[in-house]
Amino acid sequence: MSDVLTAPVKIKIITTITQQDTAPEKFELWSEGTIMQKNDQIYLRYEEVQEDQHRNTTLRFGQKDAVIIRNGDIKMRMPFVLGQARKGHYNSNYGQISIVTLTKEMKFEPSKSIQNGRFYVQYELLVGEQSVGDYCLELNYTEGN
């Protein structure tokens, strides 16, 4: 059985969305959460609050793949594998929508401490075989309280 390390972290989340014929939109969010390392995978858990919507988010990632799972007012599962298209889903008040992520770039930059590092993913999001834009998600995490 492997050792599991868990620690509090502060997380800075930067999302950049580029849609056809529009200027990129950049969103920044700060949160606190926990980080856990199990084998070669990192699990970041935190809460996102935007416009009175609450989402508990888990980001699991390693060097080769990642997945974002959101629960709360919005439920979502988005898998990422570099150079591949992966099916996921997005649930809202209007029902479930199938989505596809085409991962173009993905980097995991750990530091010597589990509580510090960076995860970056760039992907195209498709809904119903139509591109809805290119997304860049960057998470920087540092030691929390």
Side-chain angles (χ1 to χ4, degrees), residues 67-92:
V67 65
I68 297 173
I69 300 168
R70 289 190 174 118
N71 288 299
D73 294 329
I74 293 174
K75 294 179 183 352
M76 181 184 76
R77 184 176 191 283
M78 294 178 73
F80 303 98
V81 176
L82 186 59
Q84 296 184 18
R86 292 292 184 188
K87 292 181 181 178
H89 64 269
Y90 177 93
N91 288 26
S92 70

Side-chain angles (χ1 to χ4, degrees), residues 35-109:
I35 191 166
M36 179 177 76
Q37 182 173 358
K38 186 174 181 184
N39 300 323
D40 63 344
Q41 298 287 301
I42 298 289
Y43 295 79
L44 270 176
R45 292 191 173 110
Y46 56 94
E47 183 179 32
E48 292 178 81
V49 180
Q50 290 178 319
E51 299 174 8
D52 296 329
Q53 290 188 335
H54 294 259
R55 296 179 291 264
N56 293 315
T57 301
T58 301
L59 169 61
R60 179 193 51 80
F61 59 92
Q63 294 292 346
K64 297 182 182 189
D65 67 337
V67 65
I68 297 173
I69 300 168
R70 289 190 174 118
N71 288 299
D73 294 329
I74 293 174
K75 294 179 183 352
M76 181 184 76
R77 184 176 191 283
M78 294 178 73
F80 303 98
V81 176
L82 186 59
Q84 296 184 18
R86 292 292 184 188
K87 292 181 181 178
H89 64 269
Y90 177 93
N91 288 26
S92 70
N93 296 336
Y94 305 106
Q96 184 172 344
I97 299 169
S98 293
I99 59 174
V100 173
T101 54
L102 175 56
T103 307
K104 298 177 179 181
E105 187 177 353
M106 189 166 55
K107 295 178 189 174
F108 167 40
E109 299 169 352

